[in-house]
Amino acid sequence: MAAPRTLFDKIWESHLVDRQDDGTCLIYIDRHLVHEVTSPQAFEGLRLAGRQLRRPEATLAVADHNVPTTDRSAGIADEESRIQVETLIRNCADFGVPYIEVDDPRQGIVHIIGPEQGFTLPGMTIVCGDSHTSTHGAFGALAFGIGTSEVEHVLATQTLIQQPAKNMRITVEGARPVGTTAKDLILAIIGKIGTAGGTGHVIEYAGQAITDLSMEGRMTVCNMSIEAGARAGLIAPDEATFDYIKGRPMAPKAGAWEQAEAAWRGLPSDPDARYDKEVTLAAAEIAPQVTWGTSPEDVVPVTGRVPDPADAPDEGKRQAMARSLAYMGIKAGTPIGEIPVDKVFIGSCTNGRIEDLREAAAVAKGRKVAEGVQALIVPGSGLVKNQAEEEGLHKVFIEAGFEWREPGCSMCLAMNADKLEPGERCASTSNRNFEGRQGRGGRTHLMSPGMAAAAAVTGRIADVRDLV
Amino acid sequence: MEKFTKLTGVAAPLPMVNVDTDKIIPKQFLKTIKRTGLSEGLFYELRFDEDGNKKDFVLDQPAYRDAKILVAGENFGCGSSREHAPWALLDAGIRCIIASSFADIFYNNCFKNGILPIALPQEQVDLLMDDAERGANAVVTVDLETQEITGPDGGRVQFEIDPFRKHCLMNGLDDIGLSLQKANKIDAFEAKRRQEQPWL
Ligand code: SF4
């Protein structure tokens, strides 16, 4: 009998084009997402070498990082941003790559539109010149971020040169307590294993707290696999996965669907599959999480306090913590619930989907954004925005004093006009709290959409469980 | 891609852990459509204050201005996949980075640009960090062929590297050219895939 295999092993082996004697593998890439920031140099490389795209139809391009989230009819004011988007449009036209226009309702953050269109399917290999490609792992697809040279490699060959990753399984046992969301699970996981905890591994998430999640929640978890240092995140496909995909524009149609679904049912890891690393958490112990520092591993429960560098395990960590606290402008021992905020950002490929907006709206309903706080809601795509408007969520937000914006990456990395000013503090549903990430000198606290909405209406970091 | 065989140069110390690619090159420098000229944005927020004045960052100090090697803390290059990070380092003359660990995507990206990332046990990185603190005297030689680092006092350290990556780096090989030589294998794979998974 063949040795039991993990989900990762199965996808990896079924995509091997070649394996050299030294162990280097050439693996086939089924789908490739392209955005404006990491692709121009790749297309330029192809042009210089006189190379063509191997499979333009396996590629999908969209502009998301640079696009304004305010009225777009006048185009992009910032010249460099505009050039980058125009360059993408020209490259797509020259090389025959399907491109979703900025004013198309399907436009949005690349990792949100892939699943929405049914471009993302179980068992596939998916890449994008963007580290949060791990999001697509929620469907049981092996999805990972690559650099621009590799983008060029995939465009030209539809393959990648890779070394196999190791297998890691993270099991979150039991049901999630009320108020604990997918975002809290992944923040707690990163807090536990650290930002290099998954380096060299593909993380498979398992356990009841994971399988209970909707596809939106699973995407939130897999999205931040990169913040745990992993190459990719994976969740075994199940009924929830198939229900989500069925009927999407690029999903297999009747006839092919049955065949595809039967194949996908064979993907989950075999019962005795071996993992190089295993970590287990109890969902019951995970309260809503907040980051206090400048690394995604700097997490505490909302009921906790800012930790003290004096308690750090070693000198290096102590210095890093002291530096973080100085940058963040907070003191060790401060209760998390006493930290005031200036801005609130709800959106990004981590938490810019419909369920996230519903979660935030449930808190915003009938309340007002606290005085002096600016709160932005940036849907992850035009389709998310449309659905939210159909459900009337935009009215809830607008009445409460939130700004209702057009889709894009926005203040997740502040490449467009949405950014923090030096010293400003933000409750954000994005994925990185690095120094300067949301604007030079800006201070980011990562949390769930419900928690961010709670911060907006109270003017400080607050426990969402007290508000719903 | 420029070959990497043997490199001798000043090693600059950057004793920080989790240096992310946002820190290596912040977003405002990602709006370019070119690969060159990015050293302008390298470690921008560590190098300049809010008014644009230099902060005496290590690579701006006279002793380290011509540094070719960077010695850094663990998990170097974490975060965003931006290849602008290795492009900026290369543009500033850095051809080798030594740390106890690297984030995967950054590590990969280095090899595509003729930069050698070397992962060593923390104790050895600590020793090299001490060496690097010696300013212009911190001259280190990195020999890829023999996989050996020679410190300013002649101390030697061996390092590991994947044989295929070593081969490509030493010969300045273009990955795409190599993979295109396997076009018949890719064709065969696609034909089989079309049959087995017609929905793709
Ligand atoms: S939302 Fe943020 S993390 Fe996601 S793709 Fe955009 S910039 Fe990257």
Side-chain angles (χ1 to χ4, degrees):
Chain A
M1 232 184 73
R5 297 183 299 164
T6 63
L7 169 56
F8 166 72
D9 297 337
K10 293 181 192 186
I11 302 177
W12 179 265
E13 284 164 20
S14 67
H15 286 82
L16 268 184
V17 174
D18 185 43
R19 190 168 191 284
Q20 293 174 194
D21 293 338
D22 60 18
T24 303
C25 298
L26 191 67
I27 65 160
Y28 193 77
I29 301 302
D30 293 312
R31 296 274 158 94
H32 187 186
L33 289 154
V34 171
H35 68 66
E36 77 277 21
V37 181
T38 54
S39 67
Q41 296 86 351
F43 285 108
E44 183 197 50
L46 289 179
R47 257 192 210 100
L48 288 173
R51 287 172 177 144
Q52 286 299 317
L53 247 65
R54 185 171 174 97
R55 289 190 64 216
E57 75 283 6
T59 317
L60 181 62
V62 71
D64 53 5
H65 284 61
N66 274 291
V67 297
T69 58
T70 45
D71 181 17
R72 289 175 181 171
S73 51
I76 304 177
D78 180 272
E79 189 178 337
E80 285 180 300
S81 292
R82 187 173 46 79
I83 291 174
Q84 214 167 40
V85 174
E86 285 170 356
T87 304
L88 178 67
I89 296 173
R90 203 190 54 238
N91 285 332
C92 288
D94 287 358
F95 288 91
V97 176
Y99 169 72
I100 297 180
E101 305 271 350
V102 172
D103 55 6
D104 189 303
R106 296 169 304 157
Q107 184 269 344
I109 305 169
V110 66
H111 308 308
I112 294 204
I113 67 164
E116 274 178 356
Q117 294 306 313
F119 186 79
T120 303
L121 299 173
M124 279 182 162
T125 48
I126 303 175
V127 296
C128 174
D130 194 288
S131 57
H132 289 100
T133 310
S134 58
T135 311
H136 308 263
F139 292 80
L142 178 60
F144 52 93
I146 55 178
T148 299
S149 296
E150 290 178 311
V151 168
E152 187 180 337
H153 193 282
V154 175
L155 291 173
T157 69
Q158 206 60 38
T159 64
L160 265 184
I161 300 174
Q162 288 275 304
Q163 321 284 332
K166 292 194 199 128
N167 281 291
M168 176 169 183
R169 179 165 60 185
I170 297 182
T171 309
V172 190
E173 288 173 341
R176 269 177 298 132
V178 176
T180 296
T181 66
K183 182 65 164 284
D184 303 302
L185 299 184
I186 187 64
L187 285 174
I189 289 170
I190 298 165
K192 178 163 174 134
I193 69 171
T195 51
T199 303
H201 292 75
V202 166
I203 300 177
E204 181 177 339
Y205 301 95
Q208 187 198 342
I210 299 292
T211 50
D212 277 355
L213 292 172
S214 65
M215 291 315 294
E216 282 83 357
R218 295 180 192 187
M219 286 188 255
T220 301
V221 170
C222 287
N223 173 276
M224 289 189 73
S225 300
I226 185 72
E227 273 65 50
R231 292 215 196 148
L234 280 172
I235 294 175
D238 60 11
E239 301 310 319
T241 320
F242 308 142
D243 289 348
Y244 179 100
I245 297 169
K246 203 164 190 173
R248 305 246 161 207
M250 297 175 77
K253 300 283 174 296
W257 174 267
E258 288 69 24
Q259 199 183 350
E261 195 188 307
W264 297 340
R265 286 188 188 278
L267 285 169
S269 297
D270 298 332
D272 299 322
R274 219 187 66 31
Y275 294 84
D276 301 286
K277 231 182 191 179
E278 291 245 30
V279 174
T280 305
L281 289 85
E285 289 167 14
I286 304 176
Q289 305 281 307
V290 177
T291 63
W292 56 265
T294 56
S295 168
E297 68 189 23
D298 299 340
V299 296
V300 276
V302 61
T303 48
R305 288 170 185 267
V306 176
D308 192 337
D311 301 333
D314 59 67
E315 181 56 20
K317 282 259 156 33
R318 195 194 63 77
Q319 282 181 14
M321 277 174 82
R323 185 187 156 89
S324 282
L325 290 185
Y327 179 86
M328 293 297 290
I330 45 175
K331 290 207 172 58
T334 309
I336 294 295
E338 286 177 12
I339 300 175
V341 300
D342 305 298
K343 286 195 173 151
V344 172
F345 170 62
I346 296 176
S348 87
C349 59
T350 312
N351 283 126
R353 284 170 286 267
I354 188 67
E355 198 173 88
D356 303 313
L357 301 190
R358 289 183 192 136
E359 199 181 301
V363 176
K365 198 172 171 73
R367 296 194 170 95
K368 288 277 180 230
V369 170
E371 203 164 304
V373 173
Q374 186 192 17
L376 258 57
I377 311 267
V378 185
S381 73
L383 295 180
V384 170
K385 181 168 188 259
N386 289 350
Q387 181 164 356
E389 291 183 351
E390 264 168 43
E391 295 179 16
L393 303 183
H394 66 309
K395 289 214 188 92
V396 172
F397 289 126
I398 294 167
E399 275 163 23
F402 288 81
E403 295 175 30
W404 181 244
R405 297 292 189 92
E406 298 294 326
C409 293
S410 179
M411 216 201 278
C412 173
L413 94 164
M415 245 180 117
N416 68 355
D418 310 334
K419 56 172 70 109
L420 298 182
E421 297 302 323
E424 276 187 334
R425 189 179 301 283
C426 180
S428 177
T429 66
S430 54
N431 44 50
R432 287 188 177 137
N433 51 348
F434 298 156
E435 286 180 25
R437 171 78 179 183
Q438 295 193 291
R440 183 172 191 143
R443 296 157 170 165
T444 305
H445 295 275
L446 302 176
M447 59 191 78
S448 73
M451 286 283 292
V457 299
T458 57
R460 59 178 172 81
I461 298 177
D463 192 335
V464 63
R465 295 172 297 186
D466 298 337
L467 277 86
V468 286
Chain B
M1 186 177 87
E2 208 182 317
K3 290 181 188 173
F4 190 113
T5 47
K6 194 171 186 174
L7 176 75
T8 299
V10 169
L14 188 65
M16 277 174 130
V17 297
N18 297 326
V19 173
D20 57 74
T21 52
D22 276 76
K23 200 171 263 159
I24 300 175
I25 185 158
K27 60 205 149 247
Q28 63 268 36
F29 299 98
L30 306 187
K31 295 189 180 187
T32 176
I33 53 170
K34 301 199 160 47
R35 294 176 200 243
T36 48
L38 282 157
S39 58
E40 184 200 340
L42 182 66
F43 293 118
Y44 191 83
E45 285 169 19
L46 295 175
R47 274 168 62 208
F48 299 96
D49 66 16
E50 271 153 39
D51 305 318
N53 303 312
K54 282 206 172 168
K55 294 204 282 196
D56 204 31
F57 179 66
V58 61
L59 294 177
D60 290 323
Q61 295 166 13
Y64 296 108
R65 225 165 258 160
D66 297 319
K68 292 183 180 154
I69 299 162
L70 200 60
V71 185
E74 65 177 3
N75 199 27
F76 190 87
C78 60
S80 152
S81 64
R82 58 188 70 166
E83 200 162 319
H84 308 70
W87 293 337
L89 287 160
L90 189 65
D91 197 45
I94 303 290
R95 292 291 309 276
C96 174
I97 303 156
I98 301 171
S100 60
S101 62
F102 292 89
D104 287 325
I105 304 177
F106 176 83
Y107 187 76
N108 252 331
N109 283 342
C110 283
F111 287 101
K112 314 287 177 194
N113 293 284
I115 297 177
L116 173 62
I118 300 178
L120 290 176
Q122 189 64 51
E123 313 83 70
Q124 292 181 344
V125 175
D126 291 343
L127 290 177
L128 284 161
M129 191 71 80
D130 288 344
D131 287 340
E133 303 279 0
R134 294 197 230 166
N137 296 327
V139 175
V140 170
T141 297
V142 177
D143 189 335
L144 180 55
E145 167 90 77
T146 59
Q147 299 181 209
E148 198 168 63
I149 303 170
T150 311
D153 299 329
R156 289 161 197 268
V157 178
Q158 291 284 325
F159 61 89
E160 297 288 320
I161 181 171
D162 167 75
F164 179 69
R165 285 183 157 137
K166 175 178 175 180
H167 170 73
C168 291
L169 211 49
M170 290 201 59
N171 297 289
L173 294 179
D174 159 27
D175 276 356
I176 299 180
L178 288 177
S179 296
L180 285 173
Q181 288 172 9
K182 296 182 179 166
N184 54 348
K185 289 194 175 173
I186 305 175
D187 290 341
F189 181 94
E190 281 181 345
K192 185 165 143 263
R193 176 181 171 274
R194 258 195 305 277
Q195 225 165 29
E196 289 172 0
Q197 296 169 285
W199 63 88
L200 286 179

